[in-house]
Amino acid sequence: DVKVTQSSRYLVKRTGEKVFLECVQDMDHENMFWYRQDPGLGLRLIYFSYDVKMKEKGDIPEGYSVSREKKERFSLILESASTNQTSMYLCASSFVGVSYEQYFGPGTRLTVT
Amino acid sequence: AQRVTQPEKLLSVFKGAPVELKCNYSYSGSPELFWYVQYSRQRLQLLLRHISRESIKGFTADLNKGETSFHLKKPFAQEEDSAMYYCALNSGGSNYKLTFGKGTLLTVNP
């Protein structure tokens, strides 16, 4: 059974803080993704990675960066959190041969005050 | 650029009634379409994909290239079908990204 875990279920941070969201998958998937999920806006891709140290911008990368030093771990970094980054953040992973089937983590609900 | 449109934010039906969740897409190539579902307090998960032409939990979806649609249908809705449904498009190739629609929240009333 594929397991994608995220470091926190709920997180509250102050404006201007540096925020790290961690995601770990245990199925040796090559691809990993970070989305934010907002009511009425659906899922929007922030960044994705198709290999260690490789990354590509998604649709809304502004204000975010990522790190993938190990295959199983993909970190999302908010360099200076702002209130408009309050959202649900979802991590996902997929196997390169079956790239359409993404396995999602439980999500991190981030509130920036 | 690819785009996925789900015109209904909310859809409410009664148990036993037919249900259709609409999805339209815009893509110049040969698309792969999928439906993902998120039940309350559960993770987002793949429901079905057009290539397999399978029925999952009684749901089916047919890709209509002429109308650029991939509507999700079920003849008799059940209360446990209440969930958020997302239509997604994979443009294929080396592009591993899925483009998701904004989602439709389905409520099946008793």
Side-chain angles (χ1 to χ4, degrees), chain A residues 35-59:
Chain A
Y35 296 90
R36 60 179 286 176
Q37 183 182 33
D38 299 288
L41 296 178
L43 270 76
R44 293 179 292 167
L45 181 65
I46 304 171
Y47 268 98
F48 71 104
S49 169
Y50 50 91
D51 202 350
V52 174
K53 297 190 188 293
M54 305 303 287
K55 60 186 179 185
E56 284 195 24
K57 293 180 179 179
D59 300 316

Side-chain angles (χ1 to χ4, degrees), chain A residues 3-5 31 33 35 37 40-43 45 48 50 57-59 90 96 99-102 104-106, chain B residues 9 32 34 36 38 41-46 49 84 86 90 93-103:
Chain A
K3 278 286 194 300
V4 180
T5 57
N31 304 327
F33 309 82
Y35 296 90
Q37 183 182 33
L41 296 178
L43 270 76
L45 181 65
F48 71 104
Y50 50 91
K57 293 180 179 179
D59 300 316
L90 298 181
V96 72
S99 61
Y100 59 81
E101 182 159 13
Q102 296 186 10
F104 284 82
Chain B
K9 283 187 179 180
E32 293 182 74
F34 312 92
Y36 277 74
Q38 189 171 28
R41 287 184 286 278
Q42 293 188 28
R43 300 174 185 217
L44 192 63
Q45 59 187 291
L46 178 66
R49 53 186 171 122
M84 178 67 84
Y86 292 96
N90 178 20
S94 60
N95 184 343
Y96 304 117
K97 296 188 296 181
L98 288 179
T99 300
F100 286 85
K102 295 183 178 180

